[in-house]
Amino acid sequence: MNVLDLVRRSRKLKLFLFIGIPLLYLFIFFFIPFLIALLYSLGMFKQVVYQYIFVPRVSLDYYAGLFKYPGILKLIQRSFYYAVLTTLGTFILSYPIAYYIGVKLDRRYRDTAVLIIFTPFWINFLLRVYGMRFILHEAGLVNTFLRLLGFVSEPIKFLGTDLAVIIVMIYSYMIFMVLPLYGVLEKLDVELLEAAATLGATPLKTFLRVTLPLSIPGILAGSLLVFIPALGEFVIPELVGGPNTATLGTIIYSLFLRVRGVTGWGIGSAAALIYITMIVVASYIYMRFVGGEVVLG
Amino acid sequence: MSYAVELVNISKSFGSVRAVSNVSLSIRKNEFFSLLGPSGCGKTTTLRIIAGLEEPDTGVVKLDGRDVTYVPTHKRNIGMVFQTLALFPHMDVYDNIAFGLRMRNYSEADIRRRVREMLDIVRLSGLEHRRIHQLSGGQRQRVALARALIVQPAVLLLDEPLGALDLKIRQHMMVELKRVQREVGTTFIYVTHDQTEAMVMSDRIAVMKDGVIQQVGEPYDIYMHPRNRFVATFIGDAINLVEGDYASPGVVKTSLGDINVPSINEYVGKKVVFAIRPEKILIGGEVSSDLDNVFVGRISLTIFRGAFIEYRVYVDNMEFVIFKPHVGVSYLLLKPGDMVKIGWRREDGILMPE
Ligand SMILES: Nc1ncnc2c1ncn2[C@@H]1O[C@H](COP(=O)(O)OP(=O)(O)OP(=O)(O)O)[C@@H](O)[C@H]1O
Ligand SMILES: [Mg+2]
């Protein structure tokens, strides 16, 4: 009997191949590093040169260390501020686009339209963000336009401000909002909207009572897909922001890659765990609030 | 008195397809009116034009005498039951039915009372808090009906609402629909490609083909006096057609010989189609010698259809379909291969222009 026969015969082996391998992958590349970070943050794991030492004692020193960090609360607050505004911004800009493509546009052109929305993503993320630097620069495209149209006489200084960070974050994350919204709106049965009209609903009421509630799964998916990575964003604040746009992500990044050492990794791990906890709590509250009935019953 | 719905010279094309062609209809108040025709003949398009979901290329739509051609759907005071039902999946039965009242800003107490009443009429009491996906096909159909009826629309449009149901429930729902229509006293415009549904429920029927109205009339009228070949074959289970010349008043010359028919002067000298319904033909011992039309043929097939027997009889090259109720053991007396006389009375024949 060869190996293939063996696989064919055994349900357990099939199951293992089917979900075991993906699980193993997640185990190695997600669960174990996560566990190490957890142990690190609790001071239970230490690396000295090439030796790894397990310390069977829980200590919250690194967490305390993190909160002694100057301005840490300000950073957390700013991370939330950016993430919330990015989520709102992407939602407001994406919904009309997704609605137009998914509901109004002739079915034949929908795939093409989605492809066009994707075009910016053919270019590497870092290059795109660099590109935005030029667009937002004092001598850049936006300022030139504003000046030509006579809205401003002095160029506006975007780079280094919250506004620049949020504009670029919205731009970078928008696709993660558009796609799930398009997904639900494309499946929306237009006859439901017509049915509402025959029952006397104005277009606005139809939107509020039918279209919007039926988009909730897409709104939930989209806002989580945007909010979660946006909360940890540090590249965009680094590239288009300035000294006043550092975030929790910035801190984690610099603790791991600039401070380093046992302390850097320890406090960095504590920061990362706090970040993860915040995501879990915020997502849970959000799902309860927006999609309670749909997602959690 | 004005009509509930009036269509005047309505036409509508999609690209090169002429979906509705010069349709004019006047539908009376409290009438159960059916639009009957084969798939793709423009029934749904006509209904959608009445509802304002589609704008006609030409023509006028009037509701209760008022020109509403360019009035948006939500201001037309119509109800509609869609072919797909289009129930709101994110609401339960109660909220689906209450939707129209909420749009009209009724108080919640008022809504509760009216929804109760409506649940009673469509026999869904006790199911108000079910989700749509927890209902059977027939129950969904009744929710759709209740949702459309509760706002007391001047006209209720129904687009093949029974299409998805199996035969037994369909028969049951036909009777229910008729009962509900009497109870609420609303104008129903019912679209179907099923002539039985149209015959069972309608006060009047409009038969449509390729976007054109072929004939409008009461079921009896359309069945007994079809105006053309299409209507004759589309209505009823079967019909026997013979082409011929209307040579002299009361006689049609055909390949089978002369057929005696009612005297209609306008056909004299023209080519005509003679038609006779299967149940109007007498067979075997029923044929007396003084009958207006008598032919001899050979039985090719007998089919037991339950309530009646279907005989296929060849006279020359023409196969006649004959329906006979069976009383006692009469059907056993005639067998395939037997030579029999068949015949019919002059006034049972139907004449149509070629
Ligand atoms: N939105 C549309 N775009 C293009 N052609 C259409 C559209 N709607 C209907 N048609 C065409 O118009 C004609 C009439 O369609 P309609 O839906 O009114 O038929 P129907 O009588 O309701 O048929 P069925 O019994 O199959 O529902 C058909 O040939 C159909 O293909
Ligand atoms: Mg149709």
Side-chain angles (χ1 to χ4, degrees):
Chain A
M1 202 193 317
N2 65 28
V3 181
L4 272 177
D5 280 334
L6 208 70
V7 172
R8 255 181 228 123
R9 255 165 225 210
S10 160
R11 276 200 55 199
K12 277 189 190 139
L13 261 178
K14 263 190 223 158
L15 197 66
F16 174 76
L17 287 177
F18 195 62
I19 60 166
I21 291 177
L23 282 181
L24 191 69
Y25 179 90
L26 284 178
F27 188 75
I28 294 173
F29 292 105
F30 172 74
F31 186 71
I32 295 200
F34 177 76
L35 202 68
I36 292 174
L38 180 66
L39 292 178
Y40 241 112
S41 73
L42 294 170
M44 298 172 73
F45 198 66
K46 294 207 159 76
Q47 187 193 15
V48 182
V49 195
Y50 285 108
Q51 263 189 306
Y52 295 91
I53 306 159
F54 180 72
V55 188
R57 183 178 51 80
V58 173
S59 131
L60 293 177
D61 289 353
Y62 291 134
Y63 288 90
L66 178 67
F67 283 99
K68 281 202 209 92
Y69 221 85
I72 182 71
L73 289 177
K74 180 77 201 153
L75 293 189
I76 293 177
Q77 194 195 347
R78 189 180 292 136
S79 292
F80 265 99
Y81 176 65
Y82 287 166
V84 168
L85 284 182
T86 302
T87 311
L88 276 178
T90 52
F91 175 73
I92 291 167
L93 292 182
S94 301
Y95 202 95
I97 295 177
Y99 185 87
Y100 178 76
I101 301 178
V103 180
K104 293 286 175 203
L105 192 65
D106 191 319
R107 226 162 255 285
R108 283 174 293 173
Y109 307 126
R110 286 184 189 168
D111 289 345
T112 317
V114 171
L115 205 69
I116 290 171
I117 298 259
F118 256 111
T119 43
F121 289 78
W122 298 352
I123 298 154
N124 174 277
F125 166 71
L126 282 177
L127 293 182
R128 265 185 290 131
V129 178
Y130 265 114
M132 289 296 275
R133 282 180 64 103
F134 290 103
I135 294 173
L136 294 175
H137 195 273
E138 275 155 73
L141 206 59
V142 174
N143 270 312
T144 309
F145 254 117
L146 290 178
R147 208 152 24 96
L148 285 178
L149 294 174
F151 286 124
V152 294
S153 49
E154 287 290 298
I156 300 174
K157 192 170 159 9
F158 287 110
L159 292 177
T161 63
D162 286 347
L163 183 63
V165 174
I166 289 164
I167 288 176
V168 178
M169 278 177 78
I170 289 175
Y171 162 66
S172 302
Y173 286 101
M174 210 162 114
I175 196 80
F176 302 110
M177 186 64 92
V178 172
L179 284 185
L181 288 178
Y182 170 72
V184 288
L185 288 171
E186 203 264 334
K187 286 202 199 68
L188 183 72
D189 182 358
V190 179
E191 279 198 342
L192 294 178
L193 311 184
E194 295 180 344
T198 65
L199 292 164
T202 59
L204 178 66
K205 275 189 174 167
T206 302
F207 177 75
L208 294 177
R209 297 293 200 107
V210 183
T211 314
L212 205 55
L214 287 173
S215 330
I216 283 177
I219 298 174
L220 269 179
S223 38
L224 290 181
L225 279 176
V226 170
F227 181 79
I228 292 172
L231 194 62
E233 183 58 58
F234 63 93
V235 174
I236 293 170
E238 186 80 23
L239 290 182
V240 301
N244 295 326
T245 62
T247 62
L248 186 59
T250 317
I251 271 298
I252 297 175
Y253 168 77
S254 70
L255 280 166
F256 273 99
L257 295 166
R258 298 229 174 92
V259 181
R260 293 153 76 183
V262 174
T263 321
W265 285 34
I267 299 181
S269 298
L273 274 142
I274 286 190
Y275 163 64
I276 289 172
T277 312
M278 285 187 330
I279 284 175
V280 171
V281 171
S283 309
Y284 181 80
I285 293 172
Y286 177 72
M287 296 218 283
R288 265 264 111 104
F289 181 66
V290 178
E293 216 187 340
V294 178
V295 178
L296 301 166
Chain B
M1 189 186 93
S2 55
Y3 288 104
V5 178
E6 252 177 299
L7 299 182
V8 187
N9 291 327
I10 294 283
S11 290
K12 172 81 187 175
S13 298
F14 296 104
S16 60
V17 180
R18 208 162 155 82
V20 175
S21 196
N22 235 349
V23 163
S24 295
L25 285 174
S26 300
I27 296 159
R28 299 176 195 129
K29 285 182 178 153
N30 300 344
E31 188 169 30
F32 198 121
F33 190 93
S34 288
L35 274 174
L36 173 66
S39 183
C41 72
K43 307 179 295 282
T44 298
T45 308
T46 308
L47 211 60
R48 289 172 59 85
I49 287 172
I50 298 173
L53 297 171
E54 212 85 69
E55 208 173 273
D57 297 336
T58 61
V60 176
V61 181
K62 286 186 193 167
L63 294 178
D64 198 10
R66 191 170 67 104
D67 182 345
V68 295
T69 315
Y70 300 104
V71 173
T73 302
H74 66 274
K75 290 183 186 156
R76 286 199 184 188
N77 191 27
I78 43 113
M80 181 149 174
V81 178
F82 289 74
Q83 198 159 3
T84 56
L85 301 186
L87 295 170
F88 301 125
H90 57 300
M91 299 179 193
D92 61 12
V93 170
Y94 183 95
D95 288 336
N96 261 282
I97 297 177
F99 190 89
L101 299 179
R102 295 217 166 104
M103 292 305 112
R104 286 162 173 76
N105 299 318
Y106 281 61
S107 74
E108 280 301 318
D110 211 8
I111 290 176
R112 210 170 306 125
R113 187 176 53 75
R114 283 166 191 260
V115 172
R116 289 260 160 75
E117 277 172 23
M118 192 42 75
L119 284 166
D120 254 5
I121 292 181
V122 299
R123 308 200 167 142
L124 278 175
S125 302
L127 298 184
E128 43 267 64
H129 296 302
R130 290 265 188 96
R131 282 297 179 116
I132 299 309
H133 63 87
Q134 296 169 321
L135 299 175
S136 75
Q139 289 166 341
R140 278 177 213 195
Q141 204 277 327
R142 279 176 282 171
V143 176
L145 189 61
R147 183 182 70 173
L149 275 176
I150 199 162
V151 295
Q152 300 177 321
V155 181
L156 183 67
L157 310 169
L158 302 107
D159 192 356
E160 308 205 27
L162 306 185
L165 305 179
D166 64 40
L167 185 64
K168 274 290 161 207
I169 306 180
R170 215 159 69 213
Q171 288 172 339
H172 173 71
M173 287 304 304
M174 279 187 230
V175 180
E176 289 282 284
L177 270 179
K178 189 80 196 160
R179 177 182 64 79
V180 169
Q181 194 249 344
R182 289 234 184 78
E183 234 163 278
V184 296
T186 298
T187 310
F188 275 39
I189 303 182
Y190 188 92
V191 157
T192 180
H193 62 264
D194 183 322
Q195 53 107 11
T196 315
E197 281 180 17
M199 298 284 276
V200 169
M201 292 184 282
S202 317
D203 296 318
R204 282 194 308 152
I205 298 173
V207 183
M208 251 183 126
K209 182 196 171 201
D210 297 339
V212 179
I213 301 281
Q214 306 290 312
Q215 188 169 357
V216 183
E218 289 172 18
Y220 174 85
D221 212 36
I222 289 194
Y223 185 84
M224 299 303 280
H225 309 292
R227 197 174 291 158
N228 60 35
R229 211 184 184 120
F230 175 80
V231 177
T233 39
F234 198 77
I235 299 281
D237 273 354
I239 193 158
N240 302 290
L241 298 172
V242 190
E243 286 162 16
D245 293 308
Y246 198 90
S248 51
V251 180
V252 176
K253 288 201 178 308
T254 74
S255 58
L256 303 178
D258 287 358
I259 297 177
N260 294 309
V261 295
S263 212
I264 301 170
N265 286 329
E266 58 180 294
Y267 287 140
V268 172
K270 291 194 180 129
K271 286 201 171 300
V272 291
V273 178
F274 169 80
I276 179 89
R277 292 276 178 201
E279 69 278 8
K280 303 282 188 193
I281 303 180
L282 305 172
I283 186 168
E286 298 173 334
V287 180
S288 61
S289 53
D290 59 347
L291 203 58
D292 304 317
N293 295 290
V294 179
F295 294 92
V296 176
R298 180 188 298 276
I299 296 180
S300 63
L301 197 63
T302 65
I303 304 168
F304 182 67
R305 296 272 304 257
F308 58 91
I309 316 252
E310 175 177 338
Y311 295 103
R312 299 294 182 90
V313 176
Y314 270 103
V315 175
D316 288 350
N317 284 330
M318 161 87 195
E319 186 182 45
F320 280 87
V321 181
I322 301 167
F323 293 161
K324 275 295 127 205
H326 45 87
V327 181
V329 293
S330 65
Y331 79 97
L332 294 173
L333 301 176
L334 296 169
K335 288 183 284 300
D338 290 353
M339 297 300 289
V340 286
K341 277 186 184 169
I342 65 170
W344 57 86
R345 299 184 314 169
R346 176 195 292 269
E347 59 270 30
D348 283 339
I350 300 164
L351 275 188
M352 296 168 293
E354 168 75 310

